Amino acid sequence: MRADMGADSTISRTTRERLIEAAARRFYHQGFREVGIDQIYKEVGISKTAFYKHFSGKDELMLAVMEHEDQWLRRHFLTMIDRQGGKHPQDRLLALFDVVDEIVKGDEYRGCFFVNVAIEFPLQHDPPHIAAAANKRAMQDVVVALAKDAGADDPQELARELMLLMEGAYVTRHVTGDQRAGETARRAAQILIERRLPSG
């Protein structure tokens, strides 16, 4: 979901971290099922034996990648909200869509990482699907907290509405190539936010 995936200096990273970042890039661009572990450990420059010192197999690596991306996305959203939204609660809610717009306009954007996973593993009991759903619930919790801070009349419902707009922007940009999907979602979000917040 991001262009800087794995762009850190290799000197400061452990082999496990390098494997996760290499796998994240390949999984995101090629899909989980299309990538073999040999492609990943060869890119990192280690042997198959060395790979198995860090992961029991591809399934464990996939879940480690998902946890890595989940943590990155949560940090990124909060950092960008602080930067774009400042301290005013309503501005912080709208800043969600500044972050979405930045993500969907990225040159490397290939859809929402977690939506892609859920589509590739559609059964709800599959561990990757479970992890994808957990990310969406965690992101909704972030939005609920922002809505509460802003004094929304129903923070849970506003969060559900805003999450649908966010997901719609992710999918629309990916499927149609519409570079303005994030901007459109932001305009719609502003109307919803104004309706849900106390007047003035």
Side-chain angles (χ1 to χ4, degrees):
M1 183 182 288
R2 51 197 172 96
D4 67 334
M5 193 179 288
D8 297 333
S9 169
T10 58
I11 297 174
S12 62
R13 292 174 295 155
T14 66
T15 300
R16 178 183 173 87
E17 289 168 338
R18 290 168 58 208
L19 285 166
I20 289 172
E21 290 173 1
R25 285 192 301 274
R26 286 185 175 272
F27 289 156
Y28 184 56
H29 287 277
Q30 299 170 242
F32 282 78
R33 298 187 190 279
E34 294 299 317
V35 177
I37 61 169
D38 58 326
Q39 296 171 279
I40 297 164
Y41 65 69
K42 286 177 182 177
E43 178 178 332
V44 172
I46 64 172
S47 67
K48 185 175 183 179
T49 301
F51 171 86
Y52 282 112
K53 291 179 180 178
H54 299 280
F55 298 100
S56 62
K58 184 177 173 180
D59 288 348
E60 185 180 354
L61 175 60
M62 285 193 305
L63 293 178
V65 166
M66 293 190 69
E67 181 180 0
H68 178 269
E69 292 304 297
D70 173 71
Q71 294 299 317
W72 178 87
L73 186 61
R74 294 196 217 182
R75 288 194 307 270
H76 182 66
F77 260 85
L78 293 173
T79 299
M80 286 296 293
I81 288 167
D82 287 341
R83 191 172 82 189
Q84 300 278 7
K87 295 183 178 180
H88 192 281
Q90 182 170 337
D91 291 342
R92 290 174 66 79
L93 265 177
L94 277 173
L96 282 166
F97 291 86
D98 294 327
V99 184
V100 171
D101 191 46
E102 178 193 271
I103 289 172
V104 301
K105 284 182 175 176
D107 292 338
E108 297 295 313
Y109 184 71
R110 299 292 185 275
C112 171
F113 185 89
F114 297 95
V115 171
N116 293 351
V117 169
I119 292 171
E120 197 166 352
F121 296 89
L123 299 181
Q124 292 188 352
H125 63 268
D126 278 341
H129 192 110
I130 291 170
N135 167 264
K136 295 302 180 182
R137 286 192 297 270
M139 292 306 302
Q140 184 160 323
D141 289 342
V142 169
V143 183
V144 169
L146 292 170
K148 286 180 179 178
D149 288 345
D153 59 0
D154 188 340
Q156 294 283 347
E157 187 61 22
L158 178 57
R160 289 182 68 250
E161 293 167 344
L162 296 181
M163 284 294 294
L164 282 173
L165 286 176
M166 291 165 65
E167 298 302 324
Y170 291 143
V171 174
T172 298
R173 168 68 174 92
H174 184 43
V175 175
T176 70
D178 182 0
Q179 286 268 358
R180 299 178 62 191
E183 299 169 26
T184 303
R186 192 185 194 280
R187 289 197 300 272
Q190 187 161 9
I191 295 170
L192 288 173
I193 290 168
E194 289 174 354
R195 287 174 55 189
R196 288 284 184 185
L197 298 191
S199 60

